[in-house]
Amino acid sequence: MALKPILIVCFSATAAKNLALKLSKNTDFWHLYPHKDIFYLQCGIMEAFDNGFEAITADIVDSIHSSAPVDNLITTTIENIKHRFLTTKRVWVVAFSGGKDSTCLLQLVYEMLASLPKHQQRQTYAIASNTLVEAPHIDAFLHNVVDSINTHARENHIPFEILQVKPSFKDDFWVNLIGKGYPSPTRTFRWCTDRLKITPAKAEVAKITHRYGSALLILGTRKAESSHRKKSIQKRILNEDGYSQHHDFPDTLTFAPIAEWSTDEVWAYLTTHKPLCEKDHSELFSLYAKAGGDECQFITDLS
């Protein structure tokens, strides 16, 4: 079989370039694959698609085999989510930030709920924090996602709602920065996280637990995010059902269905599974597409 050139692509050209350079210098790799033509795409994959790039495969069998592990992971995760939903009476609350991980999680939970017979469905929520200081295009993006899913849920009689929470006046960013003289947040003094996100979400979860008795907070945290996040997840004390107690939220346990997923598996799911609502993931892709590094972050300045 004739060996073909290799083209490496990713959501940012940075990772593709680094891998291409490593492979070109790896003698073991060239012993296994003695072909010197290796290339990388010098732009994000979504940017390439926007400009007419089309990915094809010459062998459909290879395509099926390569996607099978991801498909199995997705199926296993969905079945796990469904089983846990049907075997607990706690109200489910999905933590949604608008990023790739929480978007993946939200879609998994929402589509699981939508697939259930009506008699097995029950009220489920997601909480999205509006800090009131997001960049305008991020703010518009989050509102569009929330409105799209809530509209789909109402029109299809699915008991699901994304609740938007925001800080109280006393916790407002500008009230603290200008009015109270707080310094700008830093890595060592991140006063804004508690006031703008945790406190409003905590108050909303308290309302939900007061109404339903207890809640299960569904998190999109993953071990592959960082070594710190991996240690944090591993330190959690799980009960016999595999849930951990949330220290900030009373009467609330936590569950992280995609904790073992890699970043590539998250993107694989998002790129191959269109959401039920009208809002697709194209805008989410564009927010990540031109960012650099191994773990892409949101673009905060489109210029």
Side-chain angles (χ1 to χ4, degrees):
M1 182 182 70
L3 294 175
K4 298 178 180 180
I6 297 174
L7 173 64
I8 300 175
V9 298
C10 67
F11 278 87
S12 71
T14 305
K17 179 180 179 180
N18 290 340
L19 180 57
L21 291 173
K22 288 180 180 178
L23 290 179
S24 66
K25 299 175 182 178
N26 190 317
T27 56
D28 291 334
F29 175 78
W30 294 119
H31 284 311
L32 294 172
Y33 194 89
H35 198 290
K36 293 296 183 182
D37 291 334
I38 181 166
F39 306 91
Y40 68 91
L41 200 64
Q42 198 166 359
C43 69
I45 185 63
M46 299 312 299
E47 185 179 356
F49 283 135
D50 289 342
N51 287 279
F53 177 83
E54 184 178 357
I56 60 173
T57 177
D59 190 346
I60 189 65
V61 176
D62 289 342
S63 176
I64 293 173
H65 285 320
S66 64
S67 63
V70 176
D71 291 340
N72 291 339
L73 175 69
I74 293 170
T75 301
T76 301
T77 303
I78 292 174
E79 288 302 314
N80 183 30
I81 292 173
K82 180 180 178 180
H83 170 73
R84 289 174 180 272
F85 184 82
L86 295 176
T87 54
T88 179
K89 299 301 181 183
R90 292 175 180 266
V91 61
W92 278 32
V93 181
V94 180
F96 178 63
S97 67
K100 67 183 188 314
D101 296 333
S102 65
T103 298
C104 173
L105 175 67
L106 182 69
Q107 184 170 329
L108 287 167
V109 172
Y110 183 69
E111 294 190 0
M112 177 279 300
L113 182 65
S115 70
L116 294 175
K118 290 298 181 182
H119 71 278
Q120 290 184 326
Q121 294 179 351
R122 66 176 187 273
Q123 185 61 50
T124 302
Y125 297 99
I127 291 181
S129 294
N130 181 358
T131 64
L132 304 179
V133 289
E134 302 290 352
H137 66 290
I138 297 294
D139 184 61
F141 164 73
L142 290 173
H143 277 88
N144 288 338
V145 171
V146 170
D147 291 343
S148 180
I149 295 176
N150 281 345
T151 298
H152 184 274
R154 283 195 304 272
E155 292 178 347
N156 293 276
H157 307 290
I158 300 171
F160 186 89
E161 183 181 5
I162 303 180
L163 306 172
Q164 292 195 75
V165 299
K166 60 183 180 180
S168 63
F169 180 75
K170 68 180 179 62
D171 287 331
D172 182 88
F173 182 84
W174 300 112
V175 168
N176 284 274
L177 190 72
I178 299 175
K180 298 181 181 179
Y182 274 50
S184 296
T186 65
R187 287 183 178 273
T188 56
F189 186 44
R190 299 176 63 182
W191 57 266
C192 60
T193 302
D194 183 70
R195 286 171 169 77
L196 304 186
K197 288 188 174 184
I198 296 177
T199 298
K202 186 176 179 179
E204 192 64 40
V205 171
K207 293 179 184 177
I208 293 173
T209 54
H210 178 73
R211 180 178 179 182
Y212 293 96
S214 60
L216 187 63
L217 189 62
I218 316 301
L219 306 175
T221 52
R222 296 182 302 108
K223 293 179 181 178
E225 286 181 80
S226 65
S227 58
H228 176 74
R229 182 55 59 87
K230 182 178 181 179
K231 291 178 182 177
S232 176
I233 293 175
Q234 291 174 335
K235 284 195 302 183
R236 292 176 185 164
I237 300 175
L238 303 180
N239 65 13
E240 58 186 16
D241 295 319
Y243 306 134
S244 61
Q245 181 68 48
H246 199 296
H247 298 297
D248 293 317
F249 295 25
D251 302 316
T252 304
L253 297 178
T254 66
F255 170 44
I258 62 172
E260 302 295 336
W261 284 36
S262 68
T263 300
D264 288 343
E265 287 163 344
V266 170
W267 282 123
Y269 174 76
L270 293 175
T271 53
T272 57
H273 291 72
K274 185 183 182 302
L276 296 177
C277 60
E278 292 186 5
K279 180 74 175 175
D280 62 23
H281 297 313
S282 58
E283 192 173 356
L284 177 69
F285 296 150
S286 69
L287 290 172
Y288 279 93
K290 294 182 180 179
D294 293 332
E295 182 64 52
C296 297
Q297 303 297 325
F298 269 130
I299 301 170
T300 56
D301 184 355
L302 290 178
S303 64

